[in-house]
Amino acid sequence: MSVERGEAGTGASEPKLPQGWAWATVGEILVRSDSGKSFKCEPRPATTDEWGIIKVSAMTWGEFQESENKALLDESLVNSAYEIRVGDILVSRANTVDHVGAPVLVEEVRPRLLLSDKSLRFMPGSAVDRNWFVYWLRSPAVRRAIEGKASGTSDSMRNISQSDLRAISIPVPPADEQGRIAAALNNRLTRLEQIEARLVATQQHLERLGNMVMAAAATGVLASDAEPQHAPIDSSSAVVDGELPPLPTGWHWARLQDIANVVGGVTKDSKSQDDSDLPEVPYLRVANAQRAQLDLSRVTKIRVSPKALEKLRLRNGDLLMTEGGDRNKLGRGWIWEDQIQQCIHQNHLFRARILEHATHPKLLGWYVNSVARSWFEANGKQSVNLASISISKVKLLPVPVPPTDQEEQQDFVALGERVLSRFRRLATACEQGLAHTAALRRSLLTAAFAGRLVSQDSQDEPAEDLLKRVRAEREAAEAERKAARRAAVQAKRKKQQSAAKLSTAAPPPRPAAHTPLPEGEQTTLPLEFTE
């Protein structure tokens, strides 16, 4: 073989394979591989009678998503050789770290869809089981190899070349065993996917229940001592001026600016970052502000002046809300509880510092993350890819204000925390279950491609014979492509020669020159009149 064998082409020493297996590279089991081209497209999906170019999202989620495409702007550029067909294996050449190199098997596809420049098409030999091959491309060893080879410094987008993918080593079992492996994996992974679907559905249900509890606590409905005095406020409907729902006795509506000081954060300045005399302090970004929680697993630092530090330093009880991002994530965030000393926030986060005793921070935080979500969506402005909301608009957010009695406010918070803590425990159990199914999937794939998932059969045709047939198919296909290219070149040359002959041929004889008549002489035409 042309490369050193090891775990998915990592360069490790060649491990022992089960009887009848053989090492190859991805390229050695392919008859052909194609890469798409870059085209100008419209920012919408193609209709059924238009040509479309697939996006990387068509290959991201494990199954081919034909709806993830863009309409081609100039259909005169279409080359039907790059049209996607049933049986194609498509691979994402550019994507996030988790999805770059992700494969899908095209089982159904509408007509007139083309490869893009960020996609590859793999066509293995006729004897290679396509389902087995796709499962292998998803195996942990291959994912590690792809992550190691993928280029790019961006966390959001990485790239891998066709040559790097083709060079990855692959342990090839006999053709019949490939089918047995694919069938066993399909059976087990289908059951895992069913379990995962139930866990995800439970998570979503818990999130809906949590939103209801937060909305009830934040608007005074969740009380410990009496029947609710009004119907719960629907957290899915917008709270807009003129349509504010009723609140319990002692509660009232106000603007956010009436109960809190709302400010923006620090803007990153390259000059300040080069000034080593300025203190370097931690600061929070949009990624740190999640729905009803703060994610402080990764906090970066920034240099600011002492004046800016004093002005923007977070205090216990401050509410942080996002200014931009996806439209349905505007305003998300949570309460700062002095987790980090001397911490500030960036300009894409708003900070609301509640005036003394106006409301409890958690009541306001629950309200912003439940009932007010639709208000933020309705009042945000959408650009090409992102949405944003202005600080002047956020200051006008209608908010429910509880009675000023601190004990009563604390009662609402305590009851809300007790109920929400139960939901959090259930949500944590779902997360642990999903982590367990992910670990099981990795173990199944690892066992399958080490020859431990199904038994070997000594009567199976050895993989070396399969590879010989694939090589013969590849050589025949390449010879056919070369012949087609030669025919196309010859046809083009003949056309050019014919055009050249026409342009150099002798011109037709010119008509005899007309001899002018003497001046004053007229010509007469013989006319015959009949009666």
Side-chain angles (χ1 to χ4, degrees):
M1 298 299 177
S2 59
V3 296
E4 183 181 7
R5 308 302 166 168
E7 184 184 342
T10 59
S13 60
E14 179 178 325
K16 185 178 180 180
L17 292 176
Q19 184 178 0
W21 291 41
W23 280 107
T25 64
V26 169
E28 288 168 335
I29 68 169
L30 298 179
V31 171
R32 179 173 179 171
S33 61
D34 299 317
S35 60
K37 294 185 179 181
S38 176
F39 294 96
K40 289 185 178 180
C41 298
E42 297 185 38
R44 62 172 178 83
T47 61
T48 54
D49 59 344
E50 292 179 313
W51 284 91
I53 309 297
I54 60 168
K55 302 189 293 186
V56 293
S57 49
M59 301 161 282
T60 298
W61 310 116
E63 293 183 355
F64 179 60
Q65 305 290 328
E66 65 175 25
S67 61
E68 293 295 305
N69 70 79
K70 291 183 179 180
L72 183 61
L73 196 60
D74 184 357
E75 295 195 351
S76 67
L77 301 175
V78 168
N79 182 346
S80 60
Y82 296 97
E83 184 176 4
I84 298 169
R85 296 177 174 84
V86 171
D88 286 350
I89 295 173
L90 305 183
V91 178
S92 175
R93 190 183 62 78
N95 211 321
T96 61
V97 174
D98 292 334
H99 297 294
V100 63
V104 291
L105 175 61
V106 179
E107 297 180 292
E108 293 182 7
V109 62
R110 48 151 284 184
R112 300 184 182 90
L113 279 187
L114 298 172
L115 296 171
S116 71
D117 61 324
K118 292 182 174 59
S119 59
L120 299 172
R121 171 167 56 194
F122 284 167
M123 300 176 68
S126 59
V128 176
D129 188 291
R130 279 167 159 73
N131 287 295
W132 165 83
F133 185 42
V134 169
Y135 279 132
W136 180 80
L137 288 171
R138 294 174 181 167
S139 68
V142 176
R143 295 308 310 161
R144 287 192 293 271
I146 289 175
E147 289 174 15
K149 291 175 179 289
S151 61
T153 57
S154 171
D155 290 336
S156 60
M157 189 62 70
R158 303 290 290 275
N159 296 272
I160 188 163
S161 68
Q162 182 175 179
S163 58
D164 279 341
L165 282 170
R166 289 174 60 93
I168 294 176
S169 296
I170 175 171
V172 183
D176 289 341
E177 189 173 347
Q178 290 177 21
R180 296 196 297 272
I181 291 172
L185 283 173
N186 183 66
N187 179 267
R188 289 163 173 78
L189 294 178
T190 297
R191 282 185 284 172
L192 274 183
E193 288 167 1
Q194 292 170 346
I195 294 170
E196 287 173 330
R198 293 178 183 178
L199 289 171
V200 170
T202 302
Q203 283 183 319
Q204 294 170 344
H205 184 58
L206 289 171
E207 183 180 357
R208 288 192 294 269
L209 290 175
N211 285 338
M212 292 172 61
V213 172
M214 288 191 291
T219 56
V221 176
L222 190 66
S224 59
D225 57 353
E227 292 293 325
Q229 298 176 346
H230 68 90
I233 295 177
D234 184 0
S235 62
S236 65
S237 62
V239 176
V240 294
D241 292 339
E243 299 179 8
L244 299 176
L247 294 170
T249 302
W251 290 63
H252 68 276
W253 288 101
R255 304 281 188 183
L256 182 58
Q257 64 186 6
D258 298 329
I259 67 164
N261 291 321
V262 184
V263 300
V266 64
T267 301
K268 200 166 186 179
D269 181 2
S270 57
K271 292 183 179 179
S272 299
Q273 304 318 299
D274 294 336
D275 190 348
S276 58
D277 293 332
L278 294 178
E280 190 177 49
V281 298
Y283 84 117
L284 302 186
R285 302 165 294 125
V286 169
N288 300 117
Q290 298 298 314
R291 183 72 65 195
Q293 63 176 332
L294 296 178
D295 180 3
L296 303 180
S297 58
R298 183 181 177 186
V299 177
T300 58
K301 292 189 175 183
I302 189 172
R303 294 188 183 276
V304 294
S305 66
K307 183 178 179 181
L309 174 59
E310 181 58 29
K311 178 183 177 182
L312 297 174
R313 184 172 59 83
L314 292 171
R315 297 180 186 175
N316 186 51
D318 286 346
L319 172 63
L320 294 166
M321 300 170 286
T322 55
E323 171 268 346
D326 296 335
R327 197 177 188 88
N328 63 349
K329 295 176 182 176
L330 293 178
R332 74 178 183 185
W334 192 235
I335 311 301
W336 182 252
E337 295 177 297
D338 281 343
Q339 295 95 324
I340 303 173
Q341 296 298 313
Q342 301 291 318
C343 189
I344 63 175
H345 60 103
Q346 71 168 183
N347 60 316
H348 294 302
L349 289 176
F350 298 128
R351 184 201 72 199
R353 181 164 293 164
I354 300 170
L355 301 178
E356 187 175 5
H357 305 316
T359 186
H360 194 285
K362 287 189 177 179
L363 292 178
L364 181 59
W366 287 337
Y367 171 77
V368 166
N369 285 283
S370 59
V371 179
R373 290 173 64 171
S374 51
W375 184 92
F376 278 97
E377 286 191 44
N379 288 274
K381 292 184 177 180
Q382 185 72 43
S383 61
V384 177
N385 295 316
L386 298 174
S388 63
I389 190 167
S390 66
I391 191 170
S392 59
K393 183 67 73 172
V394 171
K395 289 180 178 180
L396 298 178
L397 169 68
V399 293
V401 181
T404 56
D405 187 305
Q406 299 297 294
E407 291 186 5
E408 189 172 356
Q409 291 183 13
Q410 189 58 48
D411 286 343
F412 288 126
V413 171
L415 183 55
E417 281 286 11
R418 283 200 299 274
V419 178
L420 290 172
S421 65
R422 296 171 186 171
F423 292 160
R424 282 194 290 268
R425 286 196 295 272
L426 292 172
T428 299
C430 289
E431 291 174 2
Q432 292 171 342
L434 289 170
H436 184 57
T437 59
L440 282 176
R441 177 179 284 101
R442 290 192 296 270
S443 297
L444 278 171
L445 290 169
T446 298
F449 299 108
R452 299 193 301 269
L453 186 62
V454 299
S455 60
Q456 282 76 49
D457 187 339
S458 59
Q459 301 301 313
D460 288 343
E461 177 193 52
E464 286 289 358
D465 293 345
L466 178 150
L467 293 173
K468 291 177 182 177
R469 295 207 308 277
V470 173
R471 183 162 56 249
E473 281 185 71
R474 184 169 57 250
E475 291 171 353
E478 181 60 28
E480 185 177 341
R481 287 194 295 272
K482 287 180 179 179
R485 285 196 294 267
R486 283 196 299 268
V489 170
Q490 290 172 357
K492 184 178 179 180
R493 186 178 298 137
K494 286 181 180 180
K495 186 176 179 180
Q496 292 172 340
Q497 289 172 348
S498 297
K501 286 180 180 179
L502 287 175
S503 64
T504 57
R510 299 179 62 184
H514 177 68
T515 305
L517 295 173
E519 187 176 352
E521 186 174 336
Q522 297 183 7
T523 60
T524 58
L525 295 175
L527 298 177
E528 182 178 348
F529 295 92
T530 60
E531 294 183 359

